DNA sequence: CATGCGATATAAAACGTTTCCATTTGGAAA
DNA sequence: TTTCCAAATGGAAACGTTTTATATCGCATG
């Protein structure tokens, strides 16, 4: 570990110029004579100079680093988002500091403050719901914050989402159109706006528009996991009037649902039809392959990061509330039309 | 966005003490009279002071930030590792800057240099193989580097792994013990030491120990994905002498293998038996549930980060080359004994 | 041959901490 | 009281850049 303590001053001396000139060369400032530039560049190469980003950050008040807060990076869903963010960040020469919140209010607030302390230039946040304490912190933030796959509430932040209500409507309607007069709905906790207000609303609207009644017990809430999907479906299967069509709030839950059905000796899609949500890699790793609502997590991450760069560069922003298109990817868990 | 420009100097003035004293309070230095401490703490609260980590980093030459380089965070496998790293990092008050390399030498080198420029206190690296250019860079690193689930080569870095050779041996042997005289082996590219030297060697050793010959065409190489596992197995199924037991290098490939078998009208485990590798969440999301070698990615990440903190704190280190225990998780893709 | 002006280059002041060293304080011992 | 020492505090230099204000250079112009 030979340490690297060659500073801009050393380069300046080596090249016979001032620190300021070296700084200009390093930062690509055009006001440098080509011969000088070359002289400096050579000195840099010779000495193996690498600018100290921390000193740079202190002097310029920019760190070219953004903070990313997600509930849990080990979840394929957030991981995909993170990848989208990182790719665009790299493209614009930013790095990301990643933190897991486990959707805990305390961790979210703590993480936010840590990131601000580290002087990140901006933050991308993803979380199930926006606790008001957190919104208060957001309001005090000296740097811009962009929400990714997270609904705004109480404070108008830039955000990137799909239309969850319409997506749920489309999925439910598709099942209804296949002749079902009951559609089961298995999703995450209703306290999360995305379920309680969006998906649920879309589901009910589709029923209504088809003139179907809403049955309370056709909806079961889980915690997004495979196990909770499996369990929910097992419970539903015990009923005589069990719906033969299921819309699951996530792919992982949909996998659980399908396996519960198969374990009970039924066939998908012949006896039961299932539609998932998110179109994670899982969707094609099951038999039958899963029909699912496409929520383009990678794209959401990428667009959110791009939006953040625009804000940071004070570029023109046409719409700070971006709604990306969704669609339903038809696969084998649905019968052919 | 009300900016936050209250500095340590403002706090000092507000509390009627010197900057040095405020610094001591903030850093928990014991040499401060309780009454003074209180006075300063009050001023901090009143002003909403938040220390500037960048300035702190410049002055102290410590950033409490570590760099993490993984091939692709959107892969469940690396995501799990990252979570292990982050959890332990948080525990020790570090943050992580995460970067994706796509296993590209250029990106790895570039990322490494960016991280060093940002003055991270240490780095955790994961990658399929250690290109010699990268090793050269590692040698020049002013901060410690720890390898996670990555085999050392050419330079003796601290590393955390499992015994891949033995794990492959165990898996193959288990299949042989089930009465198979041929065992198919479907894994990633052999250039990667982990396949070419470790898993392959374990596989062969198991065959040898059982007095079985090695058939060249019983081994098919893919790229770790579901699709490549599916394809490999389809190819193998076309042969008359197709092995009825398969050891797959990753769970995702194993899923592909199982589906290929099922698509061809056979049953797992009755007609074919399959063992995977890694024990990702996928293993229980398939029917039959997958028997698989447990590679504890979360733990590897956690231990790697812990190891890094030990190095950073100059703590006693018993063994810088950690080999975590592995085991085989028996599930339904293997017949009962 | 002086003048003026853009293009380049320099010097030095920030940036907000930590840390080393010096100084003050307060109380116990003499 | 005085003396001494440890504990508590303060002052100021360092950390490695960017940036602003200022100076110099080179050259066309009159």
């Amino acid at each position: 570990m030979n340490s690297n303590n060659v500073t801009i001053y050393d380069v300046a001396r080596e090249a016979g110029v001032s620190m300021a000139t070296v700084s200009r060369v390093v930062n690509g400032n055009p006001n440098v004579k080509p011969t000088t530039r070359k002289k400096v560049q050579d000195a840099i190469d010779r000495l193996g100079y690498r600018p100290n980003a921390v000193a740079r950050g202190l002097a310029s008040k920019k760190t070219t680093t953004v903070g990313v807060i997600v509930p849990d990076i080990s979840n394929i869903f957030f991981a995909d988002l993170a990848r989208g963010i990182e790719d665009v960040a790299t493209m614009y020469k930013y790095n990301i500091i990643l933190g897991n919140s486990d959707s805990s209010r305390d961790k979210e607030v703590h993480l936010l403050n840590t990131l601000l302390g580290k002087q990140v230039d901006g933050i991308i946040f993803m979380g199930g719901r926006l606790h008001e304490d957190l919104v208060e912190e957001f309001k005090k933030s000296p740097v811009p914050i962009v929400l990714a796959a997270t609904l705004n509430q109480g404070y108008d932040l830039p955000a990137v989402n799909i239309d969850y209500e319409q997506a749920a409507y489309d999925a439910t309607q598709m099942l209804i159109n296949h002749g079902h007069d009951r559609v089961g709905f298995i999703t995450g906790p209703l306290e999360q706006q995305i379920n309680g207000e969006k998906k649920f609303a879309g589901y009910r609207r589709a029923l209504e528009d088809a003139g179907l009644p809403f049955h309370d017990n056709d909806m079961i809430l889980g915690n997004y996991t495979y196990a909770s999907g499996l369990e929910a479906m097992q419970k539903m299967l015990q009923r005589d009037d069990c719906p033969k069509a299921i819309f699951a709030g996530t792919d992982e839950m949909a996998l659980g649902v399908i396996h519960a059905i198969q374990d009970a000796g039924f066939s998908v899609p012949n006896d039961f039809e299932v539609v998932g949500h998110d179109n994670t890699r899982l969707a094609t790793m099951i038999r039958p392959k899963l029909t699912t609502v496409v929520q383009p997590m990678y794209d959401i991450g990428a667009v959110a990061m791009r939006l953040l760069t625009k804000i940071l560069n004070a570029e023109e922003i046409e719409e700070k509330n971006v709604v990306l298109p969704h669609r339903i990817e038809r696969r084998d868990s649905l019968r052919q039309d």
Side-chain angles (χ1 to χ4, degrees), chain A:
Chain A
M1 297 195 226
N2 47 358
S3 62
N4 182 353
N5 29 21
V6 25
T7 74
I8 200 173
Y9 181 75
D10 299 322
V11 176
R13 183 154 30 82
E14 174 84 9
V17 299
S18 73
M19 280 165 37
T21 301
V22 178
S23 176
R24 284 196 200 87
V25 171
V26 169
N27 294 297
N29 184 312
N31 291 345
V32 183
K33 213 178 4 175
T35 61
T36 312
R37 182 181 301 281
K38 169 118 180 38
K39 208 167 51 177
V40 171
Q41 193 58 58
D42 288 350
I44 287 176
D45 295 342
R46 211 171 321 129
L47 267 46
Y49 168 68
R50 173 193 295 135
N52 180 325
V54 172
R56 214 193 270 233
L58 183 60
S60 69
K61 296 176 165 296
K62 306 226 162 308
T63 55
T64 61
T65 302
V66 304
V68 175
I69 301 177
V70 295
D72 176 12
I73 191 65
S74 71
N75 183 315
I76 193 168
F77 187 69
F78 306 125
D80 226 30
L81 179 91
R83 180 69 209 239
I85 294 171
E86 216 266 336
D87 279 1
V88 173
T90 301
M91 211 173 291
Y92 286 86
K93 315 272 190 213
Y94 284 93
N95 288 106
I96 67 175
I97 297 184
L98 183 87
N100 298 109
S101 71
D102 291 315
S103 296
S104 134
R105 174 174 58 91
D106 289 350
K107 288 192 196 171
E108 284 171 346
V109 171
H110 181 254
L111 207 41
L112 176 66
N113 279 304
T114 305
L115 291 172
L116 293 178
K118 296 231 165 165
Q119 313 299 120
V120 294
D121 293 339
I123 289 177
I124 294 185
F125 178 88
M126 160 149 202
R129 57 171 298 204
L130 256 43
H131 193 285
E132 58 184 23
D133 290 9
L134 189 61
V135 172
E136 285 312 306
E137 299 287 333
F138 280 172
K139 286 183 185 167
K140 288 188 293 192
S141 171
V143 300
I145 295 173
V146 173
L147 303 179
T150 299
L151 297 166
N152 236 314
Q153 52 196 29
Y155 184 49
D156 191 31
L157 287 168
V160 181
N161 286 289
I162 64 170
D163 184 341
Y164 298 103
E165 200 270 347
Q166 186 62 44
Y169 180 92
D170 294 347
T172 308
Q173 189 186 44
M174 186 174 263
L175 287 165
I176 292 171
N177 288 347
H178 276 220
H180 299 279
D181 57 354
R182 297 188 75 136
V183 176
F185 178 41
I186 296 181
T187 191
L190 289 191
E191 301 86 65
Q192 301 199 347
Q193 207 183 356
I194 195 171
N195 298 308
E197 293 179 26
K198 302 295 179 171
K199 290 181 183 173
F200 184 37
Y203 166 72
R204 290 201 61 160
R205 182 161 66 88
L207 289 178
E208 245 168 57
D209 283 4
L212 297 174
F214 165 63
H215 299 282
D216 209 35
N217 58 359
D218 283 355
M219 178 167 77
I220 301 189
L221 304 175
N223 63 355
Y224 297 124
T225 61
Y226 173 83
S228 81
L230 190 83
E231 194 185 336
M233 192 62 208
Q234 284 169 342
K235 200 161 131 198
M236 204 170 275
L237 281 163
Q238 288 168 357
R239 288 165 36 196
D240 296 336
D241 59 344
C242 175
K244 295 283 194 292
I246 307 290
F247 171 42
T250 69
D251 286 349
E252 200 171 318
M253 292 184 100
L255 252 63
V257 166
I258 289 178
H259 282 153
I261 293 168
Q262 291 172 337
D263 290 353
F266 297 106
S267 152
V268 178
N270 295 327
D271 303 321
F272 286 79
E273 295 190 284
V274 178
V275 175
H277 196 287
D278 294 347
N279 195 35
T280 55
R281 294 164 63 88
L282 292 177
T284 57
M285 296 189 198
I286 185 174
R287 293 306 148 88
K289 288 181 195 144
L290 185 65
T291 292
T292 188
V293 174
V294 178
Q295 175 176 23
M297 289 308 287
Y298 179 93
D299 295 351
I300 290 179
V303 171
M305 184 65 212
R306 178 65 186 106
L307 182 55
L308 183 55
T309 64
K310 281 187 186 170
I311 296 171
L312 292 173
N313 298 335
E315 290 177 37
E316 184 85 21
I317 291 167
E318 59 291 347
E319 173 59 58
K320 54 183 261 184
N321 223 300
V322 181
V323 178
L324 258 33
H326 67 273
R327 62 172 212 283
I328 296 182
E329 181 73 35
R330 291 208 52 167
R331 299 200 186 90
D332 311 331
S333 68
L334 217 60
R335 291 191 285 271
Q336 306 283 336
D337 281 323

